Amino acid sequence: MAFAHIISLINTIEFHFLQPLPCLIFDDKEMVESLCEKIRKLQGFLEESHKNNNIFISNQARRVLESKIRGVAHDAEGWIESDLHRLYMRFNSEERPVKTSQSLYQTLQQLKRRIESIERRYHQIERNSNHSVELQRRNTIENIKASSFSQPPSSDLKNVVLVGRDDEFLTIMQKLISDSEKREVISITGMGGIGKTTLVKRIYEDVAIISHFDVRAWITVSQEHNFREILIALHGSIVSNGVVGNSDLEDELRRKLTIRRYLIVIDDVWSIEAWDDIHRWFPKEDVNGSRILLTTRLKQVADYASSGNNSLDMRFLNFNESWNLFYKKVFEEKKISCEFEPVGRGIVTRCQGLPLTIIVVAGLLTSSNKTSLRQWGNVAENLNSLLNTDPEEKCSKTLSLSYENLPIHLKVCFLYFGVFPEDTEICVKALIRLWVAEGFLKQELNNTMEEVGENYLHDLVDRGLVQIDKRSSNGKMKSCRLHDRLHSFCLREVEREKLLYVINEKNVHSGMLQRIMRSMSTGSNPKARRWISSQIIRDLDVSIARASKEIRSILYFTNEFKWTYLSPKPFTFLKLLRVLDIRLCLMDGIPSEIVNLVHLRYLALRNDSVLNLQWLKLQSLQIIIINTFDDSESYWGSMLHVLDMPLLRHVYLPKSCFLNLPKLVQGNLQTIFWLSLPQRLRTKLGFKTIPNVKELGIYIKEKNPYKLLPGSLADLCRLENLKIAVEEDICSRGLFQLPTAFPSSLKKLKLIYTYLPWEDMGIIGTLPNLEVLKLMGYAFCGPKWRTENGFYKLKHLQIVESDLKHWTVIADHFPVLECLILSCCENLEEFPSAIVDITTLQLIKLTRCSSSIVTSAKQIQEERLGFGDSQFVVHDFHTIFGSEPVRQFSRREDAGYISSKKKLIYVKKIKE
């Protein structure tokens, strides 16, 4: 992974020496810039040799050079950061920035000499090579620039395509919506990558299923699992308030399920024992037509769990189905010329009907460096060599082929998915910010690092290596995940590269951790492990920290873990740490030596006691995330000046944390949640000191909220996402006033407990780019809302807790509305008649609303269905019938509901 070390080294040098407001005084800036240029030439060599294998030098010579580059980059980064650690430890308020040392200057000179030695070695091999080298390519190597090699994000990323599964789709649908009142378990089995989860997702979201079942929930088990976390997730999906108390979760879950017709999907079960442990959570006898849908790779698990003859073994796709899937991915979505069809048909034949293989190969062929017939032919030849292997082995080798053909800058980003547990739903924003902190991304002109990371992720999605899991209310990627086969492949690769140290039950019991620790080097080792992923309840072992001082990242994925924090203290040895995410760990106090981790760029903590970090030393911090359960103001006095740290990009703090706006302009700041500004701490400059903030949360906790916002929000000309929350007991009298001006760039707005009159909605309706509006906790109050002109780009409207009774709408007021969500709006009895005329509307979701408005929504659904619109869906949960808080099973055939049998007939028609 030489390229990862080179990119990280460049980012480290630029981070510490070439910032606009560096923390370090270094007189010879010209020498640093010259050094960076030499490193970029090595970066260019790696990129070109990867794209044009064997063009310049032999494979053996290339591997030797890559090994040398990796060793030099690894050693140099360790030397530089160790020298900087000693310098920054002297940092104090009287000495800013820090003056450099002679030792650091000598380190940079030594790095320059080693790089020049590699350059000479490269040119010598090139001269002795029998290959001819084109002048243009030679110039590319000599004049490499920092630019993007990733594909631009797709304009319209589709959901996973389901092809050739109509018969299996209808078979499962009929079993789920059958007349049998007894609860049944239906199993779907098949090898990894055959499409079990894709099929079940399509069924789970089908309109007939949504209408038929009172409750739906989805849990994923996987090989490595935590039953309590799965139970908590299932409990939260079923119980209306989602609160996890001290009561018996299993008993409460059974009580809630007994009175409802439910569908529970249990995805990726790997053992009979796992099924037995989960199965006992459900009522023993259900006679209301409930169903459990289970997916597994193991036939014995499916046969054991299924009720009677309710096991479906998924088949491989035939050629026509395989070709249709390939054609959609390649020729329709990527607009590849039809001249490639003959070669494509041969490639599809070699995929042997496995959907995952087809999708991954399609992503490989449509990548930027695989768009010629010759290159497609090479892929076909590689697949042809696997013709006689079994599907499991072929899938594994196809994934390896796709990985090897990734652009070199994407490989380390893909391998980083290995730090997350299997089947984890990964927050896209968090992932990209981790990439930034790790130093994986190349700086591009006119793009922020976050935008570069988003492009990288889109590229991995386009190649079929990463799946989009959820989208946000404005349509952007919200979370993603790796298919378990790709995750297993990822773990094999990071183990081969010796990048990751995973602490889980399997590794602990097998003795693998001990073997890894013995192999770790305490000296200079270009393959020393850099990341720790802890996935079980276990303190950070001091011996681990001692064994590998090269560790750059520690991430904990264990919930409800009490950090005992024994002595000696492990962080004392981890002086080069960049990423520390222990927000899931309960702690009595923050480890004092964390303040000495001067290279920390990403810090995520959960603290329930006094926070007294000396932020002054942590001048490299880019991301701060502090979670707490105690909002006492007295705990946060030491954090008032945190926004003055020059490199901060994203800040997530508790609402009770009072902050000073920075005294100087902080151009790097992009995210602040939450900003609580008491009157005495406001500055005259107001928001002008954070001009590039894109996401901002403001929390108001004052008894006199008049003119609470400092300066003008209009100064935030890049602001896209704004949340304003008022403490509920303060503004119940409606004293808060809506700002008269918002930045025109605003796309998302969320208001909480602001108690505004509906007449003020006219200010919001005129925002030219607003796409998402969320009104929570009586954000607006009063019985009548009559919309006026506006909301021209609004796609998502959500109202939670409202006393609204009468709503008047003209369809032209919401010309592009797609999603309407109402929760706890008990007084609203029906939808405005014009809602049916909003042709873009695809979803109405109602939670704890009156039965009359649910009926009104279902009538709209009937009308839309009559117009031939099969995409419009109504979801309703916990409907209120008089004094009843939950809709009972007996009401499922109410006049407003479309009967399940009618829906199933409709489903068959559209499938035909």
Side-chain angles (χ1 to χ4, degrees):
M1 197 52 61
F3 187 81
H5 288 288
I6 281 288
I7 289 294
S8 184
L9 175 60
I10 292 175
N11 287 338
T12 295
I13 294 174
E14 291 180 342
F15 187 87
H16 291 286
F17 295 90
L18 300 178
Q19 290 283 341
L21 294 173
C23 301
L24 187 72
I25 297 175
F26 193 81
D27 296 331
D28 198 347
K29 183 178 179 181
E30 186 176 331
M31 190 268 277
V32 175
E33 290 176 343
S34 173
L35 180 61
C36 286
E37 189 61 29
K38 288 181 177 294
I39 298 172
R40 288 195 186 96
K41 289 180 181 180
L42 297 184
Q43 171 190 325
F45 158 72
L46 292 173
E47 289 171 339
E48 276 304 301
S49 65
H50 183 270
K51 288 194 299 182
N52 304 289
N53 195 16
N54 283 340
I55 291 293
F56 297 115
I57 55 179
S58 67
N59 277 337
Q60 181 179 359
R62 178 171 58 85
R63 285 194 294 268
V64 170
L65 273 178
E66 287 186 359
S67 177
K68 286 184 176 293
I69 292 171
R70 178 175 55 197
V72 168
H74 172 272
D75 291 346
E77 191 172 30
W79 296 336
I80 291 171
E81 290 187 326
S82 295
D83 284 346
L84 287 171
H85 183 272
R86 288 190 290 271
L87 284 172
Y88 288 151
M89 287 299 293
R90 303 203 312 261
F91 188 84
N92 56 60
S93 57
E94 287 76 32
E95 186 182 9
R96 181 185 180 186
V98 178
K99 294 181 181 179
T100 190
S101 66
Q102 186 64 27
S103 172
L104 182 57
Y105 184 84
Q106 291 173 351
T107 296
L108 296 178
Q109 289 284 16
Q110 182 178 0
L111 172 59
K112 182 179 178 182
R113 289 192 293 270
R114 292 188 67 178
I115 289 175
E116 289 171 345
S117 173
I118 291 177
E119 284 182 330
R120 289 193 295 271
R121 174 63 176 163
Y122 166 70
H123 290 304
Q124 179 182 355
I125 294 174
E126 186 183 11
R127 284 193 297 270
N128 295 336
S129 174
N130 293 325
H131 296 287
S132 62
V133 182
E134 299 175 13
L135 180 60
Q136 182 179 0
R137 292 179 180 172
R138 188 190 302 273
N139 289 337
T140 301
I141 289 295
E142 295 297 326
N143 299 294
I144 185 70
K145 303 294 182 183
S147 59
S148 173
F149 286 82
S150 64
Q151 295 283 351
S154 301
S155 58
D156 183 22
L157 287 172
K158 307 293 184 184
N159 291 328
V160 177
V161 178
L162 183 67
V163 173
R165 299 298 187 191
D166 290 359
D167 53 342
E168 293 159 319
F169 178 90
L170 288 175
T171 297
I172 298 298
M173 288 289 287
Q174 288 169 340
K175 290 179 181 294
L176 293 176
I177 314 181
S178 68
D179 293 330
S180 172
E181 293 297 316
K182 184 179 178 181
R183 185 191 67 201
E184 295 184 359
V185 179
I186 302 158
S187 298
I188 301 177
T189 186
M191 68 172 287
I194 204 166
K196 301 183 295 297
T197 302
T198 302
L199 173 63
V200 174
K201 280 183 178 179
R202 187 61 55 87
I203 292 170
Y204 186 78
E205 295 295 339
D206 191 271
V207 65
I209 295 298
I210 294 169
S211 174
H212 184 74
F213 291 97
D214 299 311
V215 174
R216 294 174 305 132
W218 183 300
I219 56 174
T220 302
V221 182
S222 73
Q223 284 182 283
E224 300 292 333
H225 50 260
N226 182 308
F227 282 118
R228 176 164 175 78
E229 290 182 1
I230 294 172
L231 176 59
I232 290 173
L234 183 58
H235 179 274
S237 300
I238 302 300
V239 180
S240 59
N241 58 18
V243 176
V244 179
N246 295 324
S247 60
D248 191 315
L249 293 182
E250 294 183 26
D251 288 344
E252 186 176 5
L253 180 64
R254 278 191 287 267
R255 285 196 301 270
K256 294 294 183 181
L257 290 177
T258 299
I259 62 173
R260 301 178 185 176
R261 170 187 280 177
Y262 58 83
L263 169 64
I264 308 295
V265 173
I266 306 176
D267 190 29
D268 201 18
V269 180
W270 278 81
S271 69
I272 290 173
E273 292 75 20
W275 163 251
D276 283 339
D277 284 336
I278 294 173
H279 185 241
R280 61 185 172 84
W281 299 344
F282 304 110
K284 292 184 178 179
E285 293 294 334
D286 276 324
V287 289
N288 57 6
S290 294
R291 300 286 185 265
I292 296 174
L293 186 55
L294 175 147
T295 72
T296 178
R297 295 188 191 184
L298 306 175
K299 190 68 165 64
Q300 62 267 33
V301 174
D303 292 340
Y304 177 83
S306 299
S307 304
N309 188 27
N310 272 337
S311 178
L312 173 69
D313 190 9
M314 285 189 71
R315 60 178 176 79
F316 291 93
L317 300 179
N318 61 37
F319 176 79
N320 288 334
E321 293 165 341
S322 300
W323 174 249
N324 287 338
L325 176 59
F326 182 83
Y327 190 89
K328 288 178 181 290
K329 287 290 183 182
V330 174
F331 295 100
E332 289 185 3
E333 292 184 17
K334 300 300 181 182
K335 310 298 183 186
I336 299 296
S337 170
C338 290
E339 67 176 324
F340 289 81
E341 276 199 29
V343 182
R345 288 182 178 275
I347 290 173
V348 168
T349 300
R350 293 167 176 82
C351 290
Q352 294 183 332
L354 187 65
L356 179 62
T357 303
I358 296 169
I359 290 171
V360 170
V361 170
L364 171 63
L365 293 171
T366 55
S367 60
S368 57
N369 61 338
K370 289 285 182 297
T371 53
S372 74
L373 286 171
R374 180 181 63 82
Q375 290 161 335
W376 276 40
N378 290 338
V379 172
E381 288 180 11
N382 285 324
L383 291 175
N384 194 50
S385 66
L386 307 176
L387 191 60
N388 296 323
T389 59
D390 65 82
E392 289 277 357
E393 184 180 357
K394 170 168 280 192
C395 182
S396 178
K397 291 187 176 180
T398 301
L399 297 182
S400 179
L401 176 65
S402 183
Y403 171 75
E404 290 300 326
N405 280 273
L406 273 178
I408 195 169
H409 65 280
L410 288 182
K411 285 189 174 181
V412 69
C413 293
F414 174 70
L415 293 184
Y416 198 73
F417 280 93
V419 305
F420 300 96
E422 182 184 358
D423 284 321
T424 297
E425 181 183 336
I426 303 166
C427 174
V428 166
K429 284 184 179 180
L431 172 67
I432 292 174
R433 288 167 189 174
L434 284 167
W435 285 351
V436 172
E438 296 283 4
F440 296 160
L441 310 180
K442 297 193 299 182
Q443 185 66 60
E444 297 178 6
L445 295 176
N446 304 320
N447 277 333
T448 65
M449 282 293 199
E450 287 76 10
E451 289 168 339
V452 173
E454 190 174 354
N455 288 350
Y456 282 19
L457 183 57
H458 274 295
D459 203 342
L460 290 171
V461 169
D462 285 350
R463 293 167 183 272
L465 297 176
V466 177
Q467 300 172 355
I468 299 175
D469 195 67
K470 292 179 182 176
R471 294 186 181 273
S472 62
S473 50
N474 61 355
K476 289 188 175 182
M477 290 188 297
K478 183 177 183 179
S479 63
C480 62
R481 69 173 68 232
L482 231 57
H483 189 281
D484 53 5
R485 292 206 65 139
L486 283 159
H487 188 268
S488 298
F489 172 81
C490 197
L491 287 179
R492 288 197 300 271
E493 285 299 309
V494 291
E495 174 59 29
R496 187 174 65 84
E497 294 285 348
K498 295 187 172 20
L499 287 168
L500 175 63
Y501 180 97
V502 177
I503 304 175
N504 58 26
E505 295 286 354
K506 180 180 178 181
N507 287 349
V508 169
H509 292 153
S510 67
M512 184 179 295
L513 291 185
Q514 289 72 20
R515 293 195 297 273
I516 290 175
M517 286 172 55
R518 284 196 297 269
S519 69
M520 282 181 171
S521 171
T522 56
S524 176
N525 179 7
K527 283 202 172 185
R529 296 173 195 266
R530 295 171 70 94
W531 315 323
I532 290 180
S533 174
S534 181
Q535 301 168 17
I536 59 172
I537 297 177
R538 179 188 176 109
D539 275 316
L540 178 63
D541 196 329
V542 175
S543 59
I544 297 173
R546 284 175 167 165
S548 181
K549 299 176 183 179
E550 305 291 340
I551 290 172
R552 297 303 203 278
S553 305
I554 299 175
L555 298 97
Y556 266 72
F557 297 97
T558 304
N559 206 355
E560 299 186 1
F561 168 42
K562 181 69 173 180
W563 185 292
T564 56
Y565 204 59
L566 303 174
S567 183
K569 301 174 180 180
F571 293 121
T572 303
F573 305 96
L574 300 172
K575 297 179 180 180
L576 305 184
L577 204 63
R578 293 180 182 176
V579 172
L580 179 60
D581 190 338
I582 51 177
R583 79 185 88 177
L584 295 181
C585 302
L586 289 166
M587 304 174 71
D588 291 329
I590 292 193
S592 59
E593 72 272 20
I594 283 183
V595 301
N596 296 327
L597 301 177
V598 298
H599 292 297
L600 268 184
R601 302 180 188 179
Y602 185 110
L603 176 61
L605 300 169
R606 172 173 141 187
N607 187 262
D608 304 311
S609 63
V610 177
L611 179 62
N612 190 27
L613 271 183
Q614 299 175 13
W615 297 98
L616 197 60
K617 290 183 180 180
L618 303 180
Q619 292 292 302
S620 297
L621 268 181
Q622 296 178 315
I623 297 101
I624 300 175
I625 302 170
I626 306 292
N627 294 340
T628 183
F629 291 128
D630 193 330
D631 275 346
S632 173
E633 293 181 23
S634 62
Y635 286 179
W636 306 100
S638 63
M639 299 180 64
L640 295 175
H641 300 283
V642 68
L643 296 185
D644 285 312
M645 300 171 69
L647 303 181
L648 271 185
R649 306 172 76 88
H650 308 283
V651 179
Y652 295 88
L653 300 175
K655 292 177 180 178
S656 62
C657 174
F658 287 155
L659 290 175
N660 266 332
L661 284 169
K663 299 175 183 178
L664 301 176
V665 173
Q666 301 294 343
N668 289 316
L669 268 173
Q670 298 178 37
T671 307
I672 306 176
F673 286 107
W674 289 82
L675 184 63
S676 183
L677 293 162
Q679 186 69 41
R680 65 184 184 275
L681 296 176
R682 296 203 186 108
T683 66
K684 293 181 179 179
L685 292 175
F687 293 121
K688 291 181 180 179
T689 57
I690 51 173
N692 296 323
V693 163
K694 293 182 177 181
E695 299 183 71
L696 176 63
I698 299 175
Y699 182 64
I700 296 171
K701 188 177 181 179
E702 290 195 21
K703 295 183 179 179
N704 182 16
Y706 180 68
K707 292 184 179 178
L708 284 168
L709 300 181
S712 171
L713 284 172
D715 291 333
L716 301 174
C717 58
R718 298 184 180 222
L719 188 65
E720 296 181 358
N721 184 1
L722 173 64
K723 299 179 184 179
I724 300 176
V726 180
E727 190 169 87
E728 184 180 3
D729 61 349
I730 287 177
C731 280
S732 58
R733 292 171 293 172
L735 297 177
F736 174 77
Q737 292 185 358
L738 196 67
T740 56
F742 290 92
S744 60
S745 57
L746 198 63
K747 295 181 179 179
K748 299 177 69 174
L749 176 62
K750 184 175 183 178
L751 302 174
I752 308 170
Y753 291 121
T754 49
Y755 288 91
L756 294 164
W758 287 106
E759 289 77 11
D760 284 0
M761 188 62 76
I763 298 173
I764 296 174
T766 59
L767 294 174
N769 294 298
L770 189 67
E771 297 177 355
V772 178
L773 177 60
K774 297 183 179 182
L775 309 175
M776 323 292 284
Y778 296 96
F780 284 79
C781 56
K784 295 181 180 181
W785 177 24
R786 181 182 179 86
T787 61
E788 301 175 0
N789 289 333
F791 305 105
Y792 298 119
K793 289 191 177 181
L794 193 69
K795 297 180 180 179
H796 180 103
L797 174 61
Q798 182 175 3
I799 303 175
V800 177
E801 283 191 289
S802 173
D803 57 354
L804 183 63
K805 292 183 179 180
H806 307 289
W807 183 14
T808 304
V809 171
I810 297 176
D812 292 344
H813 295 173
F814 297 98
V816 295
L817 188 67
E818 297 175 358
C819 176
L820 176 59
I821 300 176
L822 302 180
S823 300
C824 300
C825 298
E826 296 94 339
N827 297 331
L828 191 61
E829 295 183 352
E830 64 177 357
F831 282 102
S833 57
I835 292 290
V836 73
D837 297 323
I838 303 176
T839 57
T840 55
L841 188 62
Q842 297 298 302
L843 171 65
I844 292 179
K845 182 178 179 181
L846 306 170
T847 303
R848 294 195 60 81
C849 292
S850 67
S851 58
S852 61
I853 197 169
V854 172
T855 300
S856 176
K858 296 290 185 176
Q859 288 170 347
I860 293 173
Q861 186 179 34
E862 287 277 18
E863 287 189 54
R864 295 284 289 270
L865 189 59
F867 294 147
D869 184 357
S870 60
Q871 301 302 314
F872 181 79
V873 176
V874 174
H875 291 190
D876 62 290
F877 306 94
H878 312 301
T879 302
I880 297 174
F881 294 93
S883 61
E884 290 291 331
V886 178
R887 174 166 65 87
Q888 300 294 324
F889 172 73
S890 61
R891 303 301 299 263
R892 69 180 184 274
E893 297 295 340
D894 242 5
Y897 286 83
I898 305 171
S899 72
S900 301
K901 291 184 179 179
K902 180 178 177 182
K903 284 289 182 78
L904 188 56
I905 293 172
Y906 165 69
V907 168
K908 290 183 178 179
K909 285 183 178 179
I910 64 172
K911 295 301 177 184
E912 292 172 357

